[in-house]
Amino acid sequence: MLGTLMAFTLNGIVLGLIYAVVALGFTLILGVMEVINFTHGVLFAYGAYLAYTLQPFLGFWLSMLVAPLLVGLMGLAIEFFLVRRVYGQNPLFGLLLTFGLSMALEEVIRMIWGRVGRSVTAPAFVAGSLDLGFMLYSRYRLFLAALAILVILAVWYFLMRTPYGAVIRAGAFDAEMVMALGKNLPWMRSLVFALGAVLAGIAGVIAAPIWSIRPPMGTAILMPSYLIVVLGGIGSFWGTIIGGLIIGISTSISVMIFPRISDLVPYLLMALVLIWRPRGLMGEKSILEV
Amino acid sequence: MLRVEGINTFYGAAQILFDLSLSIERGETVCLLGRNGAGKTTTLRSIMGLTSPANGRISFNGEDITGKPSFVIAQRGIGFVPEDRRIFPSLTVRRNLDIGAKKGSSGNGLAEWTEKIIFEHFPQLAKVADRVGEYLSGGERQMLAIARTLMGNPELVLLDEPTEGLAPLMVQEVIRIIQTLKEKGMSILLVEQHPKALSIADRVYVMSKGEMVYEGDAKEILDDAALKQRLLGI
Protein backbone atom coordinates (compact mmCIF):
# COMPACT_ATOMS: atom_id res chain seq x y z
CA MET A 1 0.00 0.00 0.00
CA LEU A 2 2.76 2.41 1.01
CA GLY A 3 4.74 1.53 -2.09
CA THR A 4 1.72 2.23 -4.29
CA LEU A 5 1.12 5.51 -2.51
CA MET A 6 4.76 6.49 -3.09
CA ALA A 7 4.46 5.61 -6.78
CA PHE A 8 1.27 7.61 -7.18
CA THR A 9 2.78 10.55 -5.29
CA LEU A 10 5.85 10.52 -7.52
CA ASN A 11 3.62 10.31 -10.58
CA GLY A 12 1.67 13.24 -9.16
CA ILE A 13 4.84 15.30 -8.75
CA VAL A 14 5.86 14.58 -12.34
CA LEU A 15 2.37 15.43 -13.57
CA GLY A 16 2.40 18.56 -11.41
CA LEU A 17 5.71 19.70 -12.89
CA ILE A 18 4.35 19.34 -16.42
CA TYR A 19 1.25 21.26 -15.38
CA ALA A 20 3.44 23.91 -13.76
CA VAL A 21 5.45 24.49 -16.96
CA VAL A 22 2.25 24.83 -19.00
CA ALA A 23 0.57 27.05 -16.40
CA LEU A 24 3.66 29.26 -16.14
CA GLY A 25 3.30 30.23 -19.80
CA PHE A 26 -0.41 30.74 -19.30
CA THR A 27 0.01 33.00 -16.26
CA LEU A 28 2.82 34.97 -17.92
CA ILE A 29 0.55 35.89 -20.83
CA LEU A 30 -2.36 36.58 -18.50
CA GLY A 31 -0.23 38.68 -16.14
CA VAL A 32 1.46 40.82 -18.77
CA MET A 33 -1.24 41.17 -21.44
CA GLU A 34 -4.35 40.46 -19.39
CA VAL A 35 -5.47 38.01 -22.05
CA ILE A 36 -6.81 34.58 -21.12
CA ASN A 37 -5.08 32.65 -23.86
CA PHE A 38 -7.21 29.65 -24.76
CA THR A 39 -4.78 28.64 -27.51
CA HIS A 40 -2.29 27.73 -24.80
CA GLY A 41 -3.53 24.14 -24.58
CA VAL A 42 -3.45 23.53 -28.29
CA LEU A 43 0.09 24.96 -28.42
CA PHE A 44 1.02 22.28 -25.88
CA ALA A 45 -0.49 19.71 -28.27
CA TYR A 46 1.53 21.15 -31.17
CA GLY A 47 4.68 20.73 -29.09
CA ALA A 48 3.90 17.04 -28.67
CA TYR A 49 2.90 16.49 -32.34
CA LEU A 50 5.92 18.35 -33.67
CA ALA A 51 8.17 16.27 -31.43
CA TYR A 52 6.47 13.14 -32.81
CA THR A 53 7.07 14.28 -36.39
CA LEU A 54 10.58 15.66 -35.94
CA GLN A 55 12.14 12.98 -33.75
CA PRO A 56 12.71 10.40 -36.54
CA PHE A 57 14.65 13.04 -38.47
CA LEU A 58 16.33 15.12 -35.80
CA GLY A 59 16.63 12.76 -32.86
CA PHE A 60 15.42 13.43 -29.34
CA TRP A 61 17.61 16.34 -28.25
CA LEU A 62 17.41 18.41 -31.41
CA SER A 63 13.66 17.94 -31.78
CA MET A 64 13.28 18.93 -28.13
CA LEU A 65 14.90 22.21 -29.09
CA VAL A 66 13.30 22.75 -32.49
CA ALA A 67 9.69 21.79 -31.65
CA PRO A 68 9.24 24.39 -28.84
CA LEU A 69 10.88 27.03 -31.03
CA LEU A 70 8.40 26.28 -33.82
CA VAL A 71 5.58 26.52 -31.27
CA GLY A 72 7.08 29.84 -30.15
CA LEU A 73 6.93 31.06 -33.76
CA MET A 74 3.28 30.01 -33.91
CA GLY A 75 2.70 32.00 -30.72
CA LEU A 76 4.47 35.00 -32.22
CA ALA A 77 2.25 34.85 -35.32
CA ILE A 78 -0.92 34.43 -33.23
CA GLU A 79 0.00 37.46 -31.14
CA PHE A 80 1.17 39.62 -34.03
CA PHE A 81 -1.75 39.02 -36.39
CA LEU A 82 -4.62 38.45 -33.98
CA VAL A 83 -4.26 38.78 -30.23
CA ARG A 84 -2.66 42.24 -30.18
CA ARG A 85 -5.88 43.65 -31.62
CA VAL A 86 -7.75 42.87 -28.41
CA TYR A 87 -5.33 44.41 -25.88
CA GLY A 88 -7.10 46.87 -23.65
CA GLN A 89 -10.50 45.78 -24.99
CA ASN A 90 -13.23 43.92 -23.18
CA PRO A 91 -11.55 40.71 -21.88
CA LEU A 92 -14.33 38.68 -23.54
CA PHE A 93 -12.94 39.58 -26.97
CA GLY A 94 -9.59 37.96 -26.21
CA LEU A 95 -11.31 34.98 -24.68
CA LEU A 96 -13.58 34.42 -27.67
CA LEU A 97 -10.80 35.02 -30.17
CA THR A 98 -8.39 32.55 -28.60
CA PHE A 99 -11.16 30.03 -27.87
CA GLY A 100 -12.25 29.99 -31.53
CA LEU A 101 -8.66 29.88 -32.70
CA SER A 102 -7.84 26.95 -30.42
CA MET A 103 -10.74 24.95 -31.90
CA ALA A 104 -9.56 25.76 -35.42
CA LEU A 105 -5.98 24.81 -34.56
CA GLU A 106 -7.16 21.53 -33.06
CA GLU A 107 -8.95 20.74 -36.32
CA VAL A 108 -5.71 21.47 -38.16
CA ILE A 109 -4.07 18.80 -35.98
CA ARG A 110 -6.76 16.32 -37.09
CA MET A 111 -6.20 17.31 -40.72
CA ILE A 112 -2.44 16.86 -40.54
CA TRP A 113 -1.96 13.97 -38.14
CA GLY A 114 -5.38 12.30 -38.17
CA ARG A 115 -7.78 11.43 -35.38
CA VAL A 116 -6.04 8.41 -33.96
CA GLY A 117 -3.63 8.68 -31.06
CA ARG A 118 0.10 8.48 -31.64
CA SER A 119 2.89 7.55 -29.34
CA VAL A 120 6.44 8.74 -28.93
CA THR A 121 9.06 6.48 -27.45
CA ALA A 122 11.32 7.76 -24.73
CA PRO A 123 14.99 8.02 -25.76
CA ALA A 124 17.08 4.91 -25.12
CA PHE A 125 19.34 6.49 -22.48
CA VAL A 126 16.42 6.98 -20.13
CA ALA A 127 14.52 3.79 -20.98
CA GLY A 128 13.63 1.35 -18.23
CA SER A 129 13.50 1.93 -14.51
CA LEU A 130 15.79 3.09 -11.80
CA ASP A 131 16.03 1.49 -8.36
CA LEU A 132 15.33 4.28 -5.87
CA GLY A 133 16.04 1.99 -2.93
CA PHE A 134 12.44 1.80 -1.85
CA MET A 135 10.90 1.29 -5.29
CA LEU A 136 11.60 1.03 -8.98
CA TYR A 137 10.66 4.12 -10.94
CA SER A 138 10.62 5.08 -14.59
CA ARG A 139 13.88 6.72 -15.61
CA TYR A 140 12.13 8.83 -18.20
CA ARG A 141 9.74 10.30 -15.64
CA LEU A 142 12.67 11.26 -13.42
CA PHE A 143 14.44 12.76 -16.41
CA LEU A 144 11.26 14.65 -17.30
CA ALA A 145 10.96 16.01 -13.75
CA ALA A 146 14.57 17.22 -13.86
CA LEU A 147 14.00 18.93 -17.22
CA ALA A 148 10.82 20.60 -15.96
CA ILE A 149 12.65 21.89 -12.88
CA LEU A 150 15.45 23.24 -15.08
CA VAL A 151 12.94 25.04 -17.30
CA ILE A 152 11.16 26.51 -14.27
CA LEU A 153 14.44 27.77 -12.80
CA ALA A 154 15.51 29.23 -16.14
CA VAL A 155 12.24 31.16 -16.44
CA TRP A 156 12.62 32.37 -12.85
CA TYR A 157 16.15 33.54 -13.56
CA PHE A 158 15.08 35.32 -16.73
CA LEU A 159 12.21 37.14 -15.04
CA MET A 160 13.87 37.95 -11.74
CA ARG A 161 17.54 38.41 -12.52
CA THR A 162 17.88 39.85 -16.01
CA PRO A 163 17.22 43.44 -17.14
CA TYR A 164 14.83 42.15 -19.78
CA GLY A 165 12.85 40.27 -17.16
CA ALA A 166 12.71 43.48 -15.14
CA VAL A 167 11.21 45.31 -18.13
CA ILE A 168 8.56 42.57 -18.48
CA ARG A 169 7.66 42.79 -14.80
CA ALA A 170 7.59 46.58 -14.92
CA GLY A 171 5.44 46.41 -18.06
CA ALA A 172 2.94 44.15 -16.28
CA PHE A 173 2.73 46.73 -13.50
CA ASP A 174 2.62 49.98 -15.46
CA ALA A 175 2.67 49.55 -19.22
CA GLU A 176 2.23 53.25 -19.95
CA MET A 177 5.25 54.27 -17.87
CA VAL A 178 7.44 51.61 -19.42
CA MET A 179 6.50 52.93 -22.88
CA ALA A 180 7.18 56.52 -21.78
CA LEU A 181 10.66 55.37 -20.76
CA GLY A 182 11.32 54.37 -24.36
CA LYS A 183 10.71 50.65 -24.17
CA ASN A 184 9.05 49.08 -27.19
CA LEU A 185 6.12 47.50 -25.39
CA PRO A 186 4.36 46.01 -28.45
CA TRP A 187 7.51 44.09 -29.27
CA MET A 188 7.95 43.07 -25.63
CA ARG A 189 4.40 41.73 -25.54
CA SER A 190 5.00 39.67 -28.67
CA LEU A 191 8.08 38.25 -27.03
CA VAL A 192 6.22 37.36 -23.83
CA PHE A 193 3.50 35.66 -25.85
CA ALA A 194 6.12 33.70 -27.77
CA LEU A 195 7.86 32.76 -24.51
CA GLY A 196 4.55 31.53 -23.09
CA ALA A 197 4.02 29.47 -26.25
CA VAL A 198 7.56 28.04 -26.01
CA LEU A 199 6.79 26.88 -22.45
CA ALA A 200 3.61 25.14 -23.66
CA GLY A 201 5.65 23.60 -26.47
CA ILE A 202 8.39 22.34 -24.13
CA ALA A 203 5.80 20.76 -21.85
CA GLY A 204 4.19 19.09 -24.88
CA VAL A 205 7.52 17.70 -26.07
CA ILE A 206 8.58 16.27 -22.72
CA ALA A 207 5.12 14.92 -21.92
CA ALA A 208 4.80 13.20 -25.31
CA PRO A 209 6.53 9.92 -24.33
CA ILE A 210 4.36 9.40 -21.23
CA TRP A 211 1.01 10.43 -22.67
CA SER A 212 -0.62 9.20 -25.80
CA ILE A 213 -0.73 12.05 -28.27
CA ARG A 214 -4.30 12.81 -29.31
CA PRO A 215 -5.90 15.86 -30.93
CA PRO A 216 -7.88 16.89 -27.79
CA MET A 217 -4.83 16.69 -25.49
CA GLY A 218 -4.56 20.48 -25.60
CA THR A 219 -8.10 20.97 -24.37
CA ALA A 220 -7.42 18.38 -21.68
CA ILE A 221 -4.48 20.32 -20.22
CA LEU A 222 -6.03 23.76 -20.54
CA MET A 223 -8.49 23.38 -17.68
CA PRO A 224 -5.93 22.15 -15.12
CA SER A 225 -3.65 25.04 -16.16
CA TYR A 226 -6.42 27.51 -15.60
CA LEU A 227 -7.22 25.97 -12.22
CA ILE A 228 -3.55 26.11 -11.23
CA VAL A 229 -3.25 29.77 -12.13
CA VAL A 230 -6.35 30.66 -10.12
CA LEU A 231 -5.37 28.38 -7.25
CA GLY A 232 -1.79 29.68 -7.06
CA GLY A 233 -2.73 33.33 -7.52
CA ILE A 234 -2.82 35.02 -10.92
CA GLY A 235 0.62 36.22 -11.98
CA SER A 236 2.39 34.60 -9.05
CA PHE A 237 5.45 32.60 -10.12
CA TRP A 238 5.82 30.30 -7.11
CA GLY A 239 2.05 30.16 -6.64
CA THR A 240 1.86 28.62 -10.10
CA ILE A 241 4.53 26.04 -9.32
CA ILE A 242 2.97 25.11 -5.99
CA GLY A 243 -0.51 25.09 -7.56
CA GLY A 244 0.79 22.77 -10.28
CA LEU A 245 2.23 20.36 -7.75
CA ILE A 246 -0.93 20.41 -5.62
CA ILE A 247 -3.17 19.66 -8.59
CA GLY A 248 -0.77 17.02 -9.93
CA ILE A 249 -0.35 15.17 -6.65
CA SER A 250 -4.01 15.38 -5.62
CA THR A 251 -5.19 14.17 -9.03
CA SER A 252 -2.77 11.28 -8.96
CA ILE A 253 -3.58 10.17 -5.41
CA SER A 254 -7.32 10.48 -5.93
CA VAL A 255 -6.98 8.23 -8.99
CA MET A 256 -5.50 5.65 -6.65
CA ILE A 257 -8.00 6.02 -3.80
CA PHE A 258 -11.25 6.96 -5.45
CA PRO A 259 -10.88 7.09 -9.22
CA ARG A 260 -14.50 8.05 -9.85
CA ILE A 261 -14.08 11.50 -8.32
CA SER A 262 -10.52 12.14 -9.43
CA ASP A 263 -11.66 14.59 -12.11
CA LEU A 264 -13.58 16.53 -9.51
CA VAL A 265 -10.74 16.89 -7.00
CA PRO A 266 -8.90 19.84 -8.62
CA TYR A 267 -12.14 21.84 -8.80
CA LEU A 268 -12.96 21.10 -5.17
CA LEU A 269 -9.47 22.16 -4.15
CA MET A 270 -9.77 25.38 -6.10
CA ALA A 271 -13.13 26.13 -4.55
CA LEU A 272 -11.75 25.52 -1.05
CA VAL A 273 -8.71 27.71 -1.62
CA LEU A 274 -10.78 30.50 -3.11
CA ILE A 275 -13.19 30.48 -0.18
CA TRP A 276 -10.20 30.81 2.13
CA ARG A 277 -8.10 33.16 -0.03
CA PRO A 278 -9.88 34.80 -2.96
CA ARG A 279 -6.57 35.89 -4.53
CA GLY A 280 -5.28 32.32 -4.59
CA LEU A 281 -2.51 30.79 -2.49
CA MET A 282 0.17 33.34 -3.28
CA GLY A 283 -1.84 35.99 -5.07
CA GLU A 284 -1.14 38.61 -2.41
CA LYS A 285 1.83 39.97 -4.22
CA SER A 286 2.71 38.49 -7.55
CA ILE A 287 6.07 38.79 -9.25
CA LEU A 288 4.29 40.25 -12.22
CA GLU A 289 2.88 43.01 -10.09
CA VAL A 290 5.90 45.14 -9.31
CA MET B 1 13.64 72.21 -30.60
CA LEU B 2 10.07 71.42 -29.54
CA ARG B 3 7.13 73.01 -31.31
CA VAL B 4 3.55 72.45 -30.27
CA GLU B 5 1.20 74.04 -32.79
CA GLY B 6 -2.52 74.39 -32.20
CA ILE B 7 -3.22 71.06 -30.52
CA ASN B 8 -6.67 70.02 -29.29
CA THR B 9 -6.70 67.13 -26.86
CA PHE B 10 -9.71 65.23 -25.55
CA TYR B 11 -10.37 62.72 -22.77
CA GLY B 12 -13.29 60.84 -24.26
CA ALA B 13 -15.80 63.50 -25.25
CA ALA B 14 -14.36 66.17 -22.94
CA GLN B 15 -12.00 68.64 -24.57
CA ILE B 16 -9.07 69.48 -22.30
CA LEU B 17 -6.71 71.47 -24.51
CA PHE B 18 -7.90 74.17 -26.89
CA ASP B 19 -5.71 75.20 -29.81
CA LEU B 20 -2.64 75.12 -27.59
CA SER B 21 0.78 76.19 -28.83
CA LEU B 22 4.16 76.45 -27.19
CA SER B 23 7.80 76.12 -28.09
CA ILE B 24 11.07 75.37 -26.37
CA GLU B 25 14.49 76.21 -27.72
CA ARG B 26 17.59 74.16 -27.17
CA GLY B 27 18.99 74.58 -23.65
CA GLU B 28 15.98 76.56 -22.48
CA THR B 29 14.14 76.03 -19.20
CA VAL B 30 10.48 76.80 -19.62
CA CYS B 31 7.98 76.83 -16.81
CA LEU B 32 4.35 75.95 -17.45
CA LEU B 33 2.04 77.48 -14.88
CA GLY B 34 -1.65 77.46 -14.21
CA ARG B 35 -4.22 76.53 -11.59
CA ASN B 36 -5.30 72.98 -10.94
CA GLY B 37 -7.22 71.55 -13.85
CA ALA B 38 -5.81 74.08 -16.31
CA GLY B 39 -4.49 71.25 -18.51
CA LYS B 40 -0.76 71.33 -17.67
CA THR B 41 -0.44 67.59 -17.17
CA THR B 42 -2.50 66.94 -20.31
CA THR B 43 -0.11 69.19 -22.21
CA LEU B 44 2.86 67.08 -21.08
CA ARG B 45 0.95 63.84 -21.83
CA SER B 46 0.09 65.14 -25.31
CA ILE B 47 3.73 65.95 -26.05
CA MET B 48 4.77 62.53 -24.76
CA GLY B 49 2.21 60.71 -26.91
CA LEU B 50 0.39 59.30 -23.87
CA THR B 51 -2.80 61.18 -24.74
CA SER B 52 -2.46 62.02 -28.40
CA PRO B 53 -4.03 65.26 -29.57
CA ALA B 54 -6.97 64.98 -31.96
CA ASN B 55 -5.40 67.58 -34.24
CA GLY B 56 -2.62 70.11 -34.38
CA ARG B 57 1.05 69.30 -34.76
CA ILE B 58 3.92 68.51 -32.41
CA SER B 59 7.44 68.45 -33.78
CA PHE B 60 10.74 67.71 -32.11
CA ASN B 61 14.05 68.61 -33.74
CA GLY B 62 12.11 69.20 -36.94
CA GLU B 63 10.47 65.77 -36.97
CA ASP B 64 6.70 65.44 -36.74
CA ILE B 65 6.00 63.31 -33.66
CA THR B 66 2.23 63.88 -33.46
CA GLY B 67 0.41 60.63 -32.71
CA LYS B 68 3.61 58.57 -32.51
CA PRO B 69 3.67 55.91 -29.77
CA SER B 70 5.25 57.19 -26.58
CA PHE B 71 8.20 54.79 -26.74
CA VAL B 72 9.16 56.24 -30.12
CA ILE B 73 8.90 59.78 -28.73
CA ALA B 74 11.06 58.75 -25.74
CA GLN B 75 13.61 57.19 -28.09
CA ARG B 76 13.75 60.44 -30.08
CA GLY B 77 15.01 62.17 -26.92
CA ILE B 78 12.10 63.39 -24.80
CA GLY B 79 12.04 62.23 -21.19
CA PHE B 80 8.97 62.37 -18.97
CA VAL B 81 8.83 62.49 -15.17
CA PRO B 82 5.19 62.13 -14.13
CA GLU B 83 3.69 63.89 -11.16
CA ASP B 84 2.92 60.64 -9.34
CA ARG B 85 6.50 59.36 -9.96
CA ARG B 86 5.33 55.89 -10.99
CA ILE B 87 8.46 54.06 -9.97
CA PHE B 88 8.30 50.25 -10.02
CA PRO B 89 7.84 49.29 -6.36
CA SER B 90 9.11 45.69 -6.39
CA LEU B 91 12.22 46.47 -8.41
CA THR B 92 15.39 47.78 -6.80
CA VAL B 93 16.63 51.31 -7.45
CA ARG B 94 19.24 49.87 -9.83
CA ARG B 95 16.62 47.91 -11.80
CA ASN B 96 14.38 50.96 -11.96
CA LEU B 97 17.31 52.85 -13.46
CA ASP B 98 17.96 50.00 -15.92
CA ILE B 99 14.43 50.28 -17.25
CA GLY B 100 14.97 53.93 -18.11
CA ALA B 101 18.38 53.29 -19.62
CA LYS B 102 19.17 53.96 -23.24
CA LYS B 103 22.77 53.78 -24.31
CA GLY B 104 24.49 56.70 -25.91
CA SER B 105 24.40 60.40 -25.36
CA SER B 106 21.63 62.21 -27.16
CA GLY B 107 24.29 64.18 -28.99
CA ASN B 108 24.37 67.96 -28.95
CA GLY B 109 27.23 67.96 -26.49
CA LEU B 110 25.20 66.62 -23.56
CA ALA B 111 27.23 64.22 -21.44
CA GLU B 112 25.98 60.64 -21.26
CA TRP B 113 24.16 59.60 -18.09
CA THR B 114 25.28 56.30 -16.64
CA GLU B 115 24.46 54.66 -13.33
CA LYS B 116 27.78 55.88 -11.94
CA ILE B 117 27.14 59.50 -12.93
CA ILE B 118 23.57 59.28 -11.65
CA PHE B 119 24.83 58.15 -8.24
CA GLU B 120 27.31 61.04 -8.18
CA HIS B 121 24.50 63.50 -8.76
CA PHE B 122 22.00 61.71 -6.54
CA PRO B 123 24.06 60.58 -3.52
CA GLN B 124 20.85 59.77 -1.68
CA LEU B 125 19.98 57.15 -4.31
CA ALA B 126 23.45 55.60 -4.16
CA LYS B 127 22.81 54.82 -0.50
CA VAL B 128 19.63 52.88 -1.31
CA ALA B 129 20.74 51.42 -4.65
CA ASP B 130 19.71 47.86 -3.78
CA ARG B 131 16.52 48.72 -1.93
CA VAL B 132 13.21 48.01 -3.67
CA GLY B 133 11.10 50.98 -4.68
CA GLU B 134 8.37 50.15 -2.23
CA TYR B 135 10.61 51.08 0.71
CA LEU B 136 11.79 54.46 -0.57
CA SER B 137 10.72 57.75 0.98
CA GLY B 138 8.72 60.26 -1.04
CA GLY B 139 11.85 62.30 -1.74
CA GLU B 140 13.85 59.25 -2.79
CA ARG B 141 11.03 58.20 -5.09
CA GLN B 142 11.08 61.60 -6.76
CA MET B 143 14.87 61.43 -7.13
CA LEU B 144 14.53 57.97 -8.64
CA ALA B 145 11.79 59.09 -11.05
CA ILE B 146 14.04 61.91 -12.31
CA ALA B 147 17.17 59.74 -12.36
CA ARG B 148 15.36 56.94 -14.23
CA THR B 149 14.31 59.37 -16.95
CA LEU B 150 17.84 60.81 -17.19
CA MET B 151 19.17 57.28 -17.78
CA GLY B 152 17.40 57.48 -21.15
CA ASN B 153 19.72 60.39 -22.05
CA PRO B 154 16.95 62.74 -23.16
CA GLU B 155 17.58 66.09 -24.82
CA LEU B 156 14.40 67.50 -23.35
CA VAL B 157 12.82 66.55 -20.03
CA LEU B 158 9.21 67.15 -19.11
CA LEU B 159 8.91 67.47 -15.34
CA ASP B 160 5.43 67.40 -13.83
CA GLU B 161 5.32 69.08 -10.40
CA PRO B 162 8.55 67.53 -9.15
CA THR B 163 8.43 69.21 -5.73
CA GLU B 164 4.81 68.30 -5.04
CA GLY B 165 4.31 66.76 -1.61
CA LEU B 166 8.00 66.85 -0.66
CA ALA B 167 9.54 68.02 2.61
CA PRO B 168 11.28 71.44 2.36
CA LEU B 169 14.77 69.92 2.36
CA MET B 170 13.82 67.58 -0.46
CA VAL B 171 12.30 70.48 -2.39
CA GLN B 172 15.72 72.21 -2.18
CA GLU B 173 17.38 69.05 -3.43
CA VAL B 174 15.03 68.67 -6.40
CA ILE B 175 15.52 72.31 -7.35
CA ARG B 176 19.28 71.89 -7.09
CA ILE B 177 19.03 68.99 -9.52
CA ILE B 178 16.91 70.95 -11.99
CA GLN B 179 19.48 73.74 -11.76
CA THR B 180 22.25 71.22 -12.51
CA LEU B 181 20.36 69.88 -15.54
CA LYS B 182 19.95 73.42 -16.82
CA GLU B 183 23.66 74.12 -16.35
CA LYS B 184 24.46 70.97 -18.30
CA GLY B 185 22.53 72.43 -21.22
CA MET B 186 19.49 70.20 -21.05
CA SER B 187 16.18 71.60 -22.27
CA ILE B 188 13.49 71.50 -19.62
CA LEU B 189 9.73 71.92 -19.62
CA LEU B 190 8.72 72.28 -16.02
CA VAL B 191 5.25 72.26 -14.54
CA GLU B 192 5.88 73.78 -11.14
CA GLN B 193 4.45 76.47 -8.91
CA HIS B 194 7.34 76.73 -6.48
CA PRO B 195 8.80 80.29 -6.59
CA LYS B 196 12.38 78.91 -6.53
CA ALA B 197 11.62 76.89 -9.65
CA LEU B 198 10.28 79.99 -11.34
CA SER B 199 13.55 81.76 -10.69
CA ILE B 200 15.41 79.06 -12.65
CA ALA B 201 13.12 79.36 -15.67
CA ASP B 202 14.01 81.41 -18.73
CA ARG B 203 10.47 81.75 -19.95
CA VAL B 204 7.01 81.15 -18.60
CA TYR B 205 3.73 80.01 -20.11
CA VAL B 206 0.49 80.33 -18.18
CA MET B 207 -2.52 78.15 -18.95
CA SER B 208 -6.12 78.57 -17.96
CA LYS B 209 -8.98 76.20 -18.79
CA GLY B 210 -7.00 74.43 -21.47
CA GLU B 211 -5.82 77.57 -23.24
CA MET B 212 -2.55 79.44 -23.22
CA VAL B 213 -3.22 82.84 -21.69
CA TYR B 214 0.25 84.26 -21.19
CA GLU B 215 3.74 83.85 -22.47
CA GLY B 216 6.66 85.87 -21.24
CA ASP B 217 9.83 86.33 -19.35
CA ALA B 218 9.99 84.46 -16.04
CA LYS B 219 11.39 87.51 -14.30
CA GLU B 220 8.48 89.65 -15.41
CA ILE B 221 5.92 87.48 -13.71
CA LEU B 222 8.07 87.06 -10.59
CA ASP B 223 8.48 90.82 -10.19
CA ASP B 224 4.95 91.85 -11.05
CA ALA B 225 2.73 90.96 -8.10
CA ALA B 226 -0.44 92.17 -9.83
CA LEU B 227 0.28 90.04 -12.90
CA LYS B 228 1.02 87.06 -10.69
CA GLN B 229 -2.22 87.55 -8.81
CA ARG B 230 -4.23 87.87 -12.04
CA LEU B 231 -2.72 84.83 -13.76
CA LEU B 232 -2.09 82.45 -10.93
CA GLY B 233 -4.15 83.71 -8.04
CA ILE B 234 -1.08 83.77 -5.78
Side-chain angles (χ1 to χ4, degrees), chain A residues 84-97:
Chain A
R84 68 166 49 183
R85 290 160 207 276
V86 301
Y87 293 152
Q89 311 255 14
N90 185 330
L92 271 180
F93 291 175
L95 208 124
L96 284 173
L97 172 69

Side-chain angles (χ1 to χ4, degrees), chain A residues 47-285:
Chain A
Y49 272 101
L50 284 170
Y52 164 81
T53 303
L54 293 173
Q55 268 183 18
F57 305 103
L58 301 179
F60 178 77
W61 290 107
L62 206 55
S63 64
M64 200 172 83
L65 196 73
V66 174
L69 285 179
L70 290 175
V71 176
L73 282 178
M74 281 179 73
L76 204 61
I78 291 171
E79 196 276 346
F80 188 81
F81 292 109
L82 299 165
V83 175
R84 68 166 49 183
R85 290 160 207 276
V86 301
Y87 293 152
Q89 311 255 14
N90 185 330
L92 271 180
F93 291 175
L95 208 124
L96 284 173
L97 172 69
T98 57
F99 184 67
L101 190 62
S102 75
M103 291 202 289
L105 287 173
E106 194 176 307
E107 280 311 307
V108 173
I109 288 181
R110 288 193 178 90
M111 285 160 65
I112 299 176
W113 286 284
R115 288 168 185 280
V116 286
R118 311 271 171 178
S119 61
V120 173
T121 42
F125 71 97
V126 281
S129 341
L130 187 73
D131 190 353
L132 296 176
F134 54 93
M135 63 180 285
L136 288 174
Y137 197 70
S138 149
R139 278 174 195 267
Y140 184 74
R141 281 175 186 261
L142 292 172
F143 170 73
L144 186 163
L147 274 181
I149 291 169
L150 270 180
V151 168
I152 289 166
L153 291 177
V155 174
W156 179 85
Y157 186 85
F158 173 71
L159 284 176
M160 300 301 285
R161 290 283 180 267
T162 66
Y164 217 92
V167 175
I168 289 172
R169 290 162 60 207
F173 176 73
D174 187 346
E176 188 183 76
M177 194 63 226
V178 168
M179 291 254 276
L181 288 168
K183 294 289 171 277
N184 186 338
L185 198 70
W187 169 232
M188 192 194 91
R189 284 175 162 162
S190 303
L191 194 102
V192 169
F193 204 94
L195 175 66
V198 165
L199 288 174
I202 290 175
V205 174
I206 61 178
I210 60 167
W211 287 349
S212 89
I213 309 179
R214 297 171 301 117
M217 69 187 291
T219 318
I221 202 155
L222 189 69
M223 216 20 96
S225 309
Y226 189 69
L227 290 182
I228 288 160
V229 168
V230 176
L231 182 84
I234 290 171
S236 161
F237 186 93
W238 293 115
T240 304
I241 309 304
I242 292 168
L245 288 172
I246 291 176
I247 298 286
I249 295 169
S250 61
T251 306
S252 182
I253 289 179
S254 62
V255 166
M256 177 185 122
I257 299 172
F258 201 179
R260 287 175 66 183
I261 63 151
S262 68
D263 282 347
L264 197 66
V265 169
Y267 296 92
L268 286 175
L269 271 175
M270 185 184 73
L272 282 174
V273 168
L274 289 186
I275 289 167
W276 169 56
R277 273 180 77 87
R279 293 192 70 176
L281 285 174
M282 299 183 72
E284 191 172 63
K285 184 167 162 280

